[in-house]
Amino acid sequence: DAGITQSPRHKVTETGTPVTLRCHQTENHRYMYWYRQDPGHGLRLIHYSYGVKDTDKGEVSDGYSVSRSKTEDFLLTLESATSSQTSVYFCAISVQSTGELFFGEGSRLTVL
Amino acid sequence: QQQVKQSPQSLIVQKGGISIINCAYENTAFDYFPWYQQFPGKGPALLIAIRPDVSEKKEGRFTISFNKSAKQFSLHIMDSQPGDSATYFCAASLNSGYSTLTFGKGTMLLVSP
């Protein structure tokens, strides 16, 4: 357990509404990531952060934005949710000494 | 462009058998190759990883075989157990793991009792 908490764990929303997912870590890791997991697609990187206010895009960043105003919190925002964003979202941190990723338990988002 | 191709998509193995999952990569600059295991409702967790300076790494019943010239690596699970039933992801990255990981699409393993 790398002290990662995701919230909410489950959310159902309607198309066009904004959604924010929160990832909170307790161990002061510099690198944080947001992935989405979909059947047949595996894990795909959305955005990642390498420090406070330092973020970069991943493979599937369109339609998503992120913010990191504190080391411990990494927020993923869907400005206007679409049905194609129905997915399970995982936050992860990496341990710099080993490169290992530790994942949270996931947030299941359904966009109707 | 899919940089890490994983096969098979799903696998059924009898208890006690050997499970084999294969991955192929395209970027010759990749130098860190981990395998992650994911149980239903949980996040993936690191199972075992290898760097290209060795051709094989073993941890208990789990072995990674690495073929640099073929740009392939595989996971072998010896004496497979029902508790090994999970989804397995291979991945690859640059800079000894300090760059972002590129994951394969996953293999759903079912070990029948």
Side-chain angles (χ1 to χ4, degrees), chain A residues 9 31 33 35 37 40-45 48 90 95-106, chain B residues 1 9 32 36 38 41-46 51 87 89 96-106:
Chain A
R9 295 290 314 280
Y31 285 82
Y33 307 80
Y35 285 88
Q37 183 175 15
H41 290 277
L43 291 154
R44 293 180 292 174
L45 181 65
Y48 65 101
F90 285 99
V95 175
Q96 282 195 272
S97 59
T98 64
E100 179 177 353
L101 282 184
F102 287 90
F103 286 84
E105 301 245 302
Chain B
Q1 182 183 13
Q9 195 170 353
Y32 174 67
Y36 280 77
Q38 183 182 29
K42 301 293 185 182
L46 179 66
R51 300 185 193 277
T87 299
F89 293 96
S96 299
Y98 300 135
S99 295
T100 59
L101 279 172
T102 298
F103 284 88
K105 293 187 175 182

Side-chain angles (χ1 to χ4, degrees), chain A residues 82-100:
Chain A
T82 67
S83 58
S84 65
Q85 294 176 311
T86 292
S87 186
V88 180
Y89 292 85
F90 285 99
C91 174
I93 59 93
S94 64
V95 175
Q96 282 195 272
S97 59
T98 64
E100 179 177 353

